Structure formats: C-alpha cells, structure tokens
Amino acid sequence: MVLVLVETNDAQEKVKSLCGELPALVRSMRNKFSALNASCVMGFGADAWGMLFLEQPRPAELEVLQEIRGAKYVAVSTPGDFFSHTRRKNERML
C-alpha cells in the first residue's frame, strides 16, 4: 500500500497513531491465520521525512525514488510518502 500524506496540523499525530496500531494488526492477522505467518513492514518516503520527523536529521541515503529502466521492464517512480508491505510466508491457507 502506498499513501500520499496531506500536510495538516495533525498529520504527524495521525501517522504516529497508525504506526502504533501496526503491531496489533499483525498480531490479529497471526491469531486468525496462524498458518500464514503474516508480517508487515512500513517505510516513509523522502518527501515525508521533513513533515513527520522534525527532530531527526534526514538519513543521507533517503532520496526520492527515480525511475529505473531495464532492457525489458521499467520500475516507475510512484509518488508516495507512506509505504506498507504485508506478506505471508505460506502460499496456501491451511
């Protein structure tokens, strides 16, 4: 999931709240579908860093993703500020 954040007075608090809920969401998925061994990671885009982490310096490696062109495929540069990836370790539900 890729989301674009809107800069509002409470954006930072809303994102912190969402981040605080993530462990409970993962636990719930694991309880309901334990055979899948679900996991989730989240990350923040370079443009969102200044809005969300005012007290932290921006990591030197954090930059806006550029389009990558290969011989056959193109990895597009999708605008986004918040990235969430949920996965499972089993291919089929038991």
Side-chain angles (χ1 to χ4, degrees):
M1 176 172 42
V2 178
L3 302 173
V4 176
L5 301 175
V6 176
E7 194 166 350
T8 61
N9 292 338
D10 61 347
Q12 188 179 38
E13 289 307 313
K14 286 181 178 180
V15 170
K16 284 182 180 181
S17 175
L18 177 65
C19 292
E21 299 289 332
L22 185 66
L25 176 63
V26 172
R27 275 193 308 276
S28 177
M29 287 189 307
R30 287 184 173 174
N31 287 337
K32 290 179 183 176
F33 309 104
S34 60
L36 296 180
N37 199 9
S39 65
C40 184
V41 295
M42 68 173 61
F44 300 95
D47 291 337
W49 190 268
M51 182 187 351
L52 298 174
F53 306 104
L54 302 172
E55 64 282 353
Q56 298 293 322
R58 182 172 154 174
E61 302 85 8
L62 185 61
E63 57 187 49
V64 175
L65 178 65
Q66 301 298 314
E67 178 180 273
I68 302 168
R69 291 191 167 272
K72 189 173 181 180
Y73 300 103
V74 176
V76 298
S77 174
T78 304
D81 297 313
F82 172 81
F83 307 88
S84 173
H85 177 75
T86 305
R87 60 177 252 163
R88 64 183 188 190
K89 294 190 179 173
N90 267 341
E91 289 301 316
R92 43 183 198 147
M93 261 177 83
L94 302 175

